[in-house]
Each structure stands twice: as structure tokens, then as C-alpha cells.
Amino acid sequence: MADTATTASAAAASTANASTDAPPFQLGKPRFQQTSFYGRFRHFLDIIDPRTLFVTERRLREAVQLLEDYKDGTLRPGVTNEQLWSAQKIKQAILHPDTNEKIFMPFRMSGYIPFGTPIVVGLLLPNQTLASTVFWQWLNQSHNACVNYANRNATKPSPVSKFIQGYLGAVISAVSIAVGLNVLVQKANKFTPATRLLVQRFVPFPAVGPAGDSADASGPTYAHPGAAPHRHVHAGEIETSQLEPEIARATSSRTVVYNKGL
């Protein structure tokens, strides 16, 4: 019955879209083709679009209701595919797909750039003290941990202790590497002041890498070839036959699951 209602809504939307460029709407599916790099790139831009941070509560309710009407086959005449895609983009950007609860703004994928960029700038500040190095590394790992937790796969509950373990491991790893490398650079007498400053600019990169591995080890499971698909907010599945030949040859799996957002 639901399939019949959805088909009727799709037909109504298609009729109203005879003169638009928006592709036919598919509930729960990406707007852009995932079989090409450009399509995946456009999809990624949709996910991180910061404009969805300014969507009002009323607009969110309207978007959710529009999608419910489409699903139930009660879509009002004149609704376009563009409106449906926009409604789905808004809902997916703000509401968690498993809990249907609003994700705190700084931890949404659409907020990753506006809220994450100041942290990156802080990490790259020159002539940092011990305190500032520890602070920015801690803040960066705290932000990453909150983003991961807020967008977790809530259909398979994990104990909070697992996330805390990953968070502490990431913070300790990042701070230890950053502080240790800074000390080594400061003690490198062969470096000129200009060279020392340049090398210090790259210290955050090796510090952040292993910390990310520590977080993933105890945090949310990210997709890889052959992994079982799950409803993580930014997970996707694609048949290997639709991938670029060089990528398809790298796995024997029929389908691969990938992370769309991070």
C-alpha cells in the first residue's frame, strides 16, 4: 500500500516538473548519481552545505510534513521535485535518521566547516606555548568526538564507555605527539628560526592522524569494502560494477559501503 502511495506521489511530482532540471525525486536516495566522481562530489557539497544551519523550526516541520505526504501518497498538486529534494536535504541535515531528534548545530555535518575551521586555524597558529598546544589539540579531538557521537549509528547502541575510551585515547595521543614534536623542534639547534617556524606549522598533522585512529578504534565503525551496511547518517552503499574500473578491481565484494560525509 505504501509503495502504491509513493508511486502516486512520484507521478504527481513528475507531472509538476516537466519544465525543471531537477531529477525525479526518490525518497531516501541521493539527489546526484553516485556512479561518478562529480555526482559524489555534488552529494558531499549538499551534506556540508552550511545554509541548512539557518533553517527555521517552521521550515523544518514543513519539510518533514512534505516528505510524509509524499510517502503516504497525499502530496498536494503542484509540488515539484526541487521542493522534495530540498525538503529531504533539510531533514537529513538536521534530524538524526535513527532517533529523529535534532542534532546539536555544531555537531551537524553542515556545521563541520563553520565550527571546525576556527579550530584548524588555532592548531596552525605560530609560536604556540605548551598550554595553547594542549588546548587546541584537546578542542579539536573533543569536536571530532562530539560529531562522531551525534551522527552515530543509533540502531546498534554502543556503551558510552566505548566512546569515552576512544575520546581519551585520541586526546592523549594528539596532545602527546604535538607536545613531543614541539619540544624536539625547539631543541633542534641546527634549525634556523625560519626553518623551525616552518616545521612547527606541520606538527598538528602527525598529531591528528594517529589520534583519529585511536578514536575510530573505540568509536563509531566506519564503512569499508565488504562491511555490512548500516544506517549511519552518512553511510552509503554502491555496487562495485558501478565504480571506476581501478577501484572495482581492488575488491572482490559485490557491493561496498562508504562514508559519504567525513
Side-chain angles (χ1 to χ4, degrees):
M1 184 69 179
D3 291 341
T4 303
T6 302
T7 302
S9 292
S14 298
T15 302
N17 273 276
S19 60
T20 66
D21 294 330
F25 179 73
Q26 291 181 286
L27 187 64
K29 300 291 185 181
R31 173 173 180 169
F32 304 101
Q33 288 292 330
Q34 301 298 286
T35 55
S36 68
F37 171 80
Y38 182 67
R40 293 191 291 272
F41 177 68
R42 291 288 301 277
H43 178 70
F44 179 77
L45 292 181
D46 247 8
I47 289 175
I48 64 173
D49 187 352
R51 291 177 297 178
T52 58
L53 295 173
F54 302 100
V55 172
T56 63
E57 188 70 29
R58 178 181 177 182
R59 180 71 184 93
L60 173 61
R61 289 197 300 268
E62 290 174 350
V64 172
Q65 186 58 54
L66 190 63
L67 294 175
E68 287 296 321
D69 291 345
Y70 176 88
K71 185 177 180 180
D72 296 337
T74 57
L75 202 62
R76 66 181 184 275
V79 174
T80 65
N81 283 320
E82 184 63 42
Q83 290 174 308
L84 290 168
W85 285 120
S86 178
Q88 179 163 272
K89 176 179 177 178
I90 290 172
K91 180 182 178 181
Q92 291 180 342
I94 299 175
L95 301 181
H96 192 286
D98 299 330
T99 64
N100 213 35
E101 296 177 353
K102 291 180 68 173
I103 300 173
F104 188 43
M105 190 179 293
F107 307 144
R108 299 174 192 169
M109 290 310 303
S110 55
Y112 203 76
I113 291 178
F115 290 99
T117 299
I119 299 175
V120 174
V121 173
L123 288 170
L124 298 176
L125 289 174
N127 301 319
Q128 294 208 36
T129 63
L130 174 63
S132 65
T133 298
V134 172
F135 171 75
W136 287 112
Q137 290 292 342
W138 165 78
L139 185 60
N140 179 56
Q141 295 304 327
S142 297
H143 181 243
N144 289 340
C146 289
V147 169
N148 282 342
Y149 185 78
N151 295 282
R152 70 194 183 281
N153 177 11
T155 59
K156 299 177 181 178
S158 297
V160 177
S161 60
K162 194 172 184 180
F163 288 92
I164 295 176
Q165 179 184 349
Y167 167 66
L168 292 177
V171 171
I172 294 172
S173 175
V175 170
S176 300
I177 293 174
V179 171
L181 289 178
N182 272 324
V183 171
L184 290 176
V185 172
Q186 290 294 339
K187 291 184 176 181
N189 297 325
K190 294 182 180 180
F191 287 165
T192 65
T195 302
R196 183 178 291 109
L197 181 61
L198 179 62
V199 173
Q200 283 181 318
R201 289 291 184 91
F202 289 93
V203 166
F205 296 102
V208 169
D213 293 337
S214 298
D216 288 347
S218 298
T221 301
Y222 288 96
H224 55 81
H230 54 69
R231 288 188 62 215
H232 187 279
V233 65
H234 298 306
E237 184 177 14
I238 187 173
E239 293 186 3
T240 51
S241 60
Q242 298 180 330
L243 296 172
E244 290 82 351
E246 59 272 19
I247 299 178
R249 287 194 296 268
T251 177
S252 58
S253 300
R254 188 177 64 85
T255 62
V256 292
V257 183
Y258 61 97
N259 191 300
K260 297 177 181 177
L262 291 179

